[in-house]
Amino acid sequence: MTIPFVDLKAQYALLEEDIKERIHTVLEHGKFILGPEVKELEERLAAFSTVRHTVACSSGTDALLLALLAYDVGPGDAVFTTPFTFIATAEVISLLGATPVFVDIDPATFNIDPIKLQQAVQAMQTKDPSLYPLPKGAEKLTPRGIIPVDLFGLPADYDSIASIASTHKLFVVQDACQSYGASYKGKPTGSQADIAATSFFPAKPLGCYGDGGAAFTDDDALAEKMHSLKVHGMGTHRYSNVRVGLNARLDTLQAAILLSKLTVFAQEIQQRNEAATRYTHMLSDSPVQLPAVPQGSTSAWAQYSILTDNRDKLAAALKEQGIPVAIYYPVPLHRQQAFAFLGYEEGDMPVCQESSAKILSLPMHPYLTESLQEKICTLVKENL
Ligand SMILES: *Cc1c(COP(=O)(O)O)cnc(C)c1O
């Protein structure tokens, strides 16, 4: 029996009948593009996230792209973000011709460090890279916004970020691709920024059976613009195009699957939290650094990640004994070949660099059993 990193089969066993029924309904009504399930999902997600608008779309990447397009981000613009994330976060900035400005992370939460963000904003404004490392050509750029990432499911420090953003007139786009189902100061993720983006990639906390995503906002105008952008910049009717957009719709079939998964989602987040609490308890007597959850936040536990000096040895030993583990992320974005043109250097983001050398994610999903966790934690302690 192979042990899964994320157990989608256990979830399917629970939902099989309902999922098949909902898929069947879509096959019967035949509205495969923007069918009634998409609208129903958007309403459910808006209620779940306590926001006015949800724009269902084709992936988390496209949700981020729609958000930046809604702000007309383009060449000459700078957007602050973290280098300790999946490529998509910074990729969308570059794809639009704008420039990512990387800001190092907090060593306990792995999220963008607001103190360093303040320094980076200052460095941009005074055009002085001695205050904070800046990308090549930064002196010609206009700071426009910030994309904090809720890494591993834990919300970033939004109060501090919002205060910097409002002082400097920057938008905030929350990359909630890993944190759907978490909360910050009592409010569900998706509601912390001007626009939030999430992903329904199968392995995310709320996943479909293919690619999918959503953007969230309280702003009527931004929502309308993103709804238009995701259908080729559509105006009031299909063949009126008021702006250049994308084909970035969510498939009706994926919406139907998500509606089914939403029926157990709150329960699953609870189970992820129980599994995380068990890991933390079982590993409390080991020398590894365990994940921190700041007061006022809850995590969606997309990943349970530990830090150890012996990461590579531990990862190899666990794999050898049939325990799947993952490294998020082995190469920080400022050191990726795709971003070499930005001219960042090895020591520019020291906390991120050190975390990427020490981090290891253990199996995490709602159906993780206590006995398997015992086995994993025993092996971790034996192989440090
Ligand atoms: C998964 C992920 C994305 C991209 O989502 P897709 O649906 O795969 O396009 C973006 N940002 C972060 C932090 C992610 O984890």
Side-chain angles (χ1 to χ4, degrees):
M1 193 194 77
T2 62
I3 296 166
F5 189 68
V6 174
D7 195 346
L8 292 175
K9 282 190 183 151
Q11 185 196 48
Y12 183 60
L14 194 71
L15 294 173
E16 181 172 357
E17 222 174 297
D18 186 52
I19 288 177
K20 283 184 169 162
E21 205 173 291
R22 288 176 195 263
I23 289 177
H24 185 76
T25 303
V26 176
L27 296 179
E28 289 294 315
H29 72 50
K31 299 186 180 85
F32 301 115
I33 301 294
L34 297 181
E37 285 82 359
V38 176
K39 188 127 187 66
E40 185 184 347
L41 179 72
E42 288 180 334
E43 284 163 8
R44 291 274 165 92
L45 294 176
F48 190 90
S49 306
T50 66
V51 293
R52 284 172 58 78
H53 305 284
T54 297
V55 181
C57 65
S58 43
S59 67
T61 306
D62 287 336
L64 289 165
L65 192 58
L66 289 168
L68 296 189
L69 283 167
Y71 280 111
D72 296 310
V73 167
D77 291 340
V79 179
F80 300 92
T81 193
T82 161
F84 203 45
T85 179
F86 182 57
I87 183 81
T89 314
E91 189 180 36
V92 291
I93 301 168
S94 272
L95 200 59
L96 293 175
T99 303
V101 176
F102 291 118
V103 177
D104 208 357
I105 55 170
D106 177 297
T109 64
F110 310 120
N111 288 330
I112 195 166
D113 183 336
I115 293 168
K116 290 172 183 160
L117 175 61
Q118 177 67 49
Q119 292 168 356
V121 172
Q122 214 81 52
M124 282 294 292
Q125 278 179 336
T126 55
K127 307 188 190 300
D128 182 0
S130 75
L131 297 178
Y132 201 80
L134 296 176
K136 262 189 206 156
E139 64 287 349
K140 295 194 258 354
L141 303 174
T142 309
R144 291 288 315 281
I146 308 164
I147 310 183
V149 176
D150 303 342
L151 203 72
F152 304 143
L154 181 73
D157 181 354
Y158 285 100
D159 282 355
S160 306
I161 292 165
S163 115
I164 296 167
S166 80
T167 306
H168 300 282
K169 309 245 176 325
L170 302 170
F171 64 73
V172 181
V173 170
Q174 173 179 17
D175 184 338
C177 285
Q178 299 182 8
S179 67
Y180 204 61
S183 70
Y184 178 79
K185 310 245 159 120
K187 292 204 56 184
T189 37
S191 63
Q192 278 69 43
D194 301 307
I195 302 177
T198 201
S199 165
F200 304 129
F201 182 83
K204 304 285 164 128
L206 179 62
C208 58
Y209 290 151
D211 280 308
F216 306 94
T217 185
D218 278 326
D219 186 299
D220 298 350
L222 288 173
E224 194 185 304
K225 197 166 169 186
M226 290 191 287
H227 274 299
S228 160
L229 283 163
K230 80 171 187 187
V231 193
H232 305 287
M234 191 172 86
T236 47
H237 64 90
R238 181 164 304 178
Y239 298 106
S240 119
N241 302 92
V242 296
R243 52 178 68 84
V244 172
L246 308 165
N247 174 0
R249 297 171 295 235
L250 179 73
D251 290 346
T252 308
L253 277 169
Q254 299 301 346
I257 288 154
L258 286 163
L259 283 168
S260 179
K261 294 204 184 192
L262 263 182
T263 63
V264 295
F265 185 56
Q267 174 66 33
E268 287 188 341
I269 290 292
Q270 173 69 25
Q271 287 162 214
R272 282 178 186 271
N273 272 280
E274 286 162 11
T277 303
R278 287 197 297 266
Y279 267 142
T280 297
H281 177 70
M282 291 171 186
L283 292 171
S284 59
D285 60 347
S286 83
V288 302
Q289 181 185 315
L290 302 173
V293 179
Q295 188 87 39
S297 291
T298 63
S299 178
W301 296 108
Q303 304 297 340
Y304 187 94
S305 305
I306 61 175
L307 293 187
T308 166
D309 294 336
N310 301 326
R311 193 269 310 277
D312 292 339
K313 174 177 164 260
L314 177 61
L318 289 173
K319 277 185 194 162
E320 172 85 21
Q321 290 168 88
I323 308 297
V325 291
I327 295 171
Y328 302 116
Y329 294 90
V331 182
L333 297 192
H334 70 291
R335 298 298 291 159
Q336 288 281 0
Q337 191 186 333
F339 290 124
F341 70 96
L342 296 173
Y344 280 104
E345 289 178 29
E346 181 77 34
D348 283 347
M349 310 281 147
V351 180
C352 172
Q353 202 77 47
E354 188 179 341
S355 302
S356 66
K358 293 184 173 178
I359 204 144
L360 188 69
S361 300
L362 303 178
M364 172 48 86
H365 57 80
Y367 305 96
L368 207 49
T369 61
E370 187 166 351
S371 60
L372 177 57
Q373 287 185 281
E374 293 272 13
K375 181 178 165 182
I376 293 168
C377 292
T378 302
L379 287 172
V380 167
K381 289 186 238 181
E382 283 172 5
N383 290 283
L384 280 174

